[in-house]
């Protein structure tokens, strides 16, 4: 079987089809012994158009099987212009997918809910053909993206919305049978407000609402992606709070991801009770560059998401990903007093790194991606601001990729622990100390091995322990002979990448 062409930026440990465009993860569900991950997919190109639902499943988060495209627009139907985002639930022997039915002649911003059912483990879906909820409340200026979950004996649904009075909202519905739904009003709604000191805000409306219900005495979490009609800066926000009847009462918003390249995350409750989260990592380069390569977008690593005893949101890579660690690439331990950088060793273009850092001032780890060290991705500790900064302003000398530096709070008066996973063009920085994460894309142009160095400001003391391992690729099985992937190019079983 043919493989996808070699591409120095294509991730191998992050889930995506071998070709074409993907965006939001959809329909994340554990059913019949498998994790199912659906995703927005254009089977005919590397641009946002022609939205279908692609589909992978896995027994263990490491070995993935591509299944036939799950949802396709029906010409002349309720979803004629695209099967947009939603989720799926496991209901005895069937999978039920709820999604946004897009028709441009209905409204560009109103995508009512429809559904499709699978009784063969997700290999085929029978579309409902009509709308589950025919209309939307009259005060909605935007309406889309259902999220359904079982709450005791009843099913509940959230739909993202923007309201005419300027509030973003997650609207609540209820059903006894997944067929007939009753509107209960806004589950949570609030005017646009800042998210911390980032300069970002909660948006005019809320896309892709997701809900982690209260459990074991811990509060619940409502996650949504900030939508703006002008398509400006966007972010993923969490509200942590409690249910009071049919209303969610929460505190101030917090960022789910501090980077620029994670959006529209979706939740999955695993069979062991863990909650997992995948996000969409869009390209941060010129569209023509991605189109020439024949692909765009990837899903983030699966993350375990929880609420700490102190009521804060915490994330970390799923425990299964430790099995992707291959040969150790470097082990470095020492002390730097500056100002000369300290070479720590070489890493490949796909690696999993942990670091324990203790500093008295400004210090950084710099990933050098060309021989003369003029191209690099830098992770800095800013002791003055108590922040961790990830800077990609020098990460691509080609001039066709986005730059910028991004920050997350980091107490530097104590040892800092972090985990950095780099997969060709994706970097995910997990601040183990606090459970925060920052995702960004970068596109090095240098050839040859990448090197890591520690840097400190003059008169600064840095104590470091850094370890890195080669990151092995996910195993993606060849599809069976009767699987029609509708434009996907089958993968042979993955082999380790450099």
């Amino acid at each position: 079987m043919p493989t996808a062409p070699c591409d120095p930026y294509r991730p191998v440990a992050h889930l995506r089809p071998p070709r074409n465009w993907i965006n939001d993860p959809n329909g994340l569900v554990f059913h019949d012994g498998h994790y199912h991950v659906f995703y927005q997919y254009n089977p005919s190109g590397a641009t946002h158009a022609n939205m279908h639902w692609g589909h992978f499943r896995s027994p263990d988060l490491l070995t993935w099987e591509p299944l036939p495209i799950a949802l396709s627009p029906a010409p002349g139907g309720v979803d004629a212009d695209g099967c947009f985002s939603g989720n799926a639930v496991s209901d005895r022997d069937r999978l039920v997918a709820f999604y946004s039915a897009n028709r441009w002649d209905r409204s560009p911003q109103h995508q009512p809910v429809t559904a499709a059912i699978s009784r063969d483990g997700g290999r085929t879906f029978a579309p409902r053909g009509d709308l589950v909820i025919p209309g939307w409340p009259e005060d909605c200026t935007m309406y889309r993206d259902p999220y359904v979950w079982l709450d005791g004996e009843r099913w509940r649904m959230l739909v993202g919305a923007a309201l005419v009075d300027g509030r973003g909202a997650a609207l609540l519905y209820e059903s006894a049978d997944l067929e007939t739904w009753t509107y209960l009003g806004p589950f949570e709604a609030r005017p646009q407000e800042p998210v911390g000191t980032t300069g970002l805000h909660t948006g005019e409306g809320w896309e892709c609402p997701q809900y982690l219900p209260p459990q074991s005495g811990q509060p619940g979490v409502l996650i949504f992606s900030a939508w703006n009609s002008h398509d400006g800066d966007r972010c993923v926000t969490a509200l942590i709070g409690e249910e009071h009847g049919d209303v969610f009462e929460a505190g101030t918003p917090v960022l789910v991801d501090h980077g620029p390249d994670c959006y529209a995350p979706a939740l999955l409750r695993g069979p062991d009770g863990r909650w997992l989260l995948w996000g969409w990592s869009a390209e941060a380069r010129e569209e023509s560059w991605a189109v020439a390569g024949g692909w765009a977008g990837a899903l983030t690593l699966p993350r375990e998401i929880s609420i700490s005893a102190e009521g804060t949101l915490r994330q970390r890579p799923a425990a299964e990903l430790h099995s992707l660690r291959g040969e150790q690439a470097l082990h470095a331990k020492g002390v730097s007093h500056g100002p000369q950088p300290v070479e720590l060793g070489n890493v490949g273009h796909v690696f999993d790194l942990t670091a324990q850092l203790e500093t008295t001032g400004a210090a950084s780890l710099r990933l050098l991606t060309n021989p003369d060290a003029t191209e690099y991705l830098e992770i800095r500790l800013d002791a003055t601001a108590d922040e961790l900064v990830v800077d990609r302003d020098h990460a691509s000398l080609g001039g066709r990729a986005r730059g910028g530096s991004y920050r997350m709070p980091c107490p530097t008066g104590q040892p800092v622990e972090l985990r950095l996973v780099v997969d060709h063009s994706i970097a995910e920085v997990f601040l183990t100390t606090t459970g925060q994460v920052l995702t960004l894309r970068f596109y090095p142009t240098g050839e040859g091995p990448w090197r890591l160095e520690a840097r400190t400001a003059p008169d600064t003391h840095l104590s470091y322990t850094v370890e890195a391992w080669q990151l092995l690729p996910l195993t993606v099985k060849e599809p069976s002979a009767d699987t029609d992937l509708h434009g996907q190019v089958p993968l042979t079983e993955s082999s380790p990448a450099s």
Side-chain angles (χ1 to χ4, degrees):
M1 304 287 283
T3 60
C6 180
D7 186 321
Y9 304 115
R10 180 189 298 277
V12 296
H14 289 71
L15 197 60
R16 63 152 290 116
R19 291 187 185 276
N20 301 325
W21 168 279
I22 78 163
N23 55 293
D24 306 3
N26 292 150
L28 305 188
V29 63
F30 189 84
H31 176 77
D32 195 26
H34 289 85
Y35 299 92
H36 291 259
V37 173
F38 302 84
Y39 52 91
Q40 292 282 277
Y41 178 57
N42 177 2
S44 57
T47 58
H48 184 276
N50 191 29
M51 286 294 99
H52 294 57
W53 275 29
H55 188 189
F56 283 105
R57 72 174 183 178
S58 170
D60 57 8
L61 302 180
L62 302 172
T63 298
W64 293 89
E65 177 186 3
L67 292 182
I69 282 186
L71 304 177
S72 300
V78 296
D79 57 5
D81 294 312
C83 302
F84 280 24
S85 292
N87 85 320
V89 295
S90 177
D91 180 38
R92 298 183 295 275
D93 66 337
R94 62 181 191 159
L95 270 177
V96 185
F98 293 87
Y99 64 100
S100 303
N102 186 44
R103 279 190 68 125
W104 298 122
D105 61 2
R106 179 193 296 124
S107 166
Q109 300 302 347
H110 296 84
Q111 298 157 14
V113 180
T114 188
I117 295 173
S118 174
R119 298 184 183 275
D120 58 4
R123 293 197 65 82
T124 61
F125 279 82
R128 178 185 173 115
D130 60 357
L131 296 175
V132 173
I133 301 172
W136 50 83
E138 62 181 13
D139 62 343
C140 289
T141 58
M142 181 273 279
Y143 180 92
R144 55 174 167 265
D145 305 338
Y147 177 81
V148 179
W149 78 101
L150 183 62
D151 181 12
E153 298 297 317
R154 61 182 176 173
W155 294 96
R156 309 194 99 188
M157 177 194 294
L158 296 178
V159 180
L163 304 183
V164 71
D165 63 7
R167 292 181 297 163
L171 308 181
L172 181 62
Y173 294 79
E174 184 176 281
S175 174
D177 58 6
L178 294 176
E179 295 289 335
T180 302
W181 293 87
T182 301
Y183 177 51
L184 302 178
F187 187 56
E188 168 68 294
R190 56 177 67 190
Q192 186 170 291
E193 62 183 296
V195 184
T197 59
T198 62
L200 300 169
H201 52 75
T202 54
E204 299 170 31
W206 298 353
E207 291 189 297
C208 303
Q210 306 284 304
Y211 188 53
L212 196 164
Q215 54 185 342
S216 304
Q218 297 298 326
V221 184
L222 174 63
I223 295 172
F224 61 87
S225 297
W227 172 86
N228 297 289
S229 57
H230 56 80
D231 200 27
D233 290 339
R234 57 190 186 181
C235 62
V236 182
T237 300
L239 298 172
I240 300 171
E242 301 285 351
E243 292 183 41
H244 295 277
D246 297 327
V247 175
F248 187 69
E249 296 183 3
T252 56
V254 297
L255 285 179
V256 173
D257 192 296
H258 293 261
D261 300 321
C262 177
Y263 194 71
L267 293 173
L268 180 154
R269 186 173 187 178
D272 54 2
R274 283 183 305 168
W275 284 86
L276 300 173
L277 176 147
W278 280 260
W280 164 43
S281 189
E283 298 301 311
R285 54 178 171 164
E286 289 181 1
E287 182 180 272
S288 60
W289 190 0
V291 169
W295 66 277
L299 301 188
T300 66
L301 297 174
R303 305 168 181 177
E304 298 176 14
I305 184 169
S306 61
I307 298 296
S308 72
E310 296 75 32
T312 61
L313 192 69
R314 297 187 66 91
Q315 296 176 72
R316 63 183 182 184
E320 288 86 342
L321 299 181
H322 280 284
S323 297
L324 293 182
R325 285 181 175 174
E327 181 180 352
Q328 188 165 32
L330 70 82
H331 173 86
K333 183 175 183 178
V335 176
S336 172
H337 297 285
Q340 294 301 315
V342 177
E343 292 282 345
L344 303 181
N346 290 350
V347 291
H349 297 190
V350 186
F351 62 88
D352 185 351
L353 176 148
T354 61
Q356 295 82 42
L357 308 171
E358 191 166 4
T359 184
T360 60
S364 68
L365 296 178
R366 185 174 286 189
L367 178 63
L368 307 172
T369 56
N370 70 343
D372 66 4
T374 56
E375 186 179 74
Y376 56 86
L377 181 72
E378 187 163 55
I379 299 174
R380 296 195 301 269
L381 296 177
D382 185 339
T384 303
D386 269 348
E387 290 180 324
L388 182 145
V389 182
V390 184
D391 186 341
R392 67 178 180 190
D393 275 338
H394 303 276
S396 178
L397 296 180
R400 302 171 67 191
R402 296 187 193 124
S405 59
Y406 302 88
R407 299 169 176 265
M408 56 183 163
C410 175
T412 55
Q414 63 189 59
V416 173
E417 295 186 19
L418 63 86
R419 183 171 174 186
L420 168 65
V421 180
V422 171
D423 187 359
H424 290 295
S425 63
I426 301 179
E428 294 182 64
V429 184
F430 294 86
L431 187 53
T432 310
T433 314
T434 63
Q436 298 172 96
V437 61
L438 189 158
T439 303
L440 54 70
R441 304 294 300 275
F442 73 115
Y443 305 88
T445 61
E447 298 180 356
W450 293 353
R451 315 187 315 277
L452 196 71
E453 67 179 22
R455 303 175 71 90
T456 51
D459 303 319
T460 296
H461 175 102
L462 172 67
S463 174
Y464 60 84
T465 301
V466 181
E467 295 183 279
W469 296 264
Q470 177 191 18
L471 185 64
L472 303 176
L474 297 171
T475 297
V476 181
K477 294 182 177 180
E478 289 191 18
S480 58
D482 62 344
T483 297
D484 178 7
L485 296 180
H486 293 238
Q488 295 188 34
V489 177
L491 283 172
T492 59
E493 186 167 306
S494 300
S495 57
S498 61

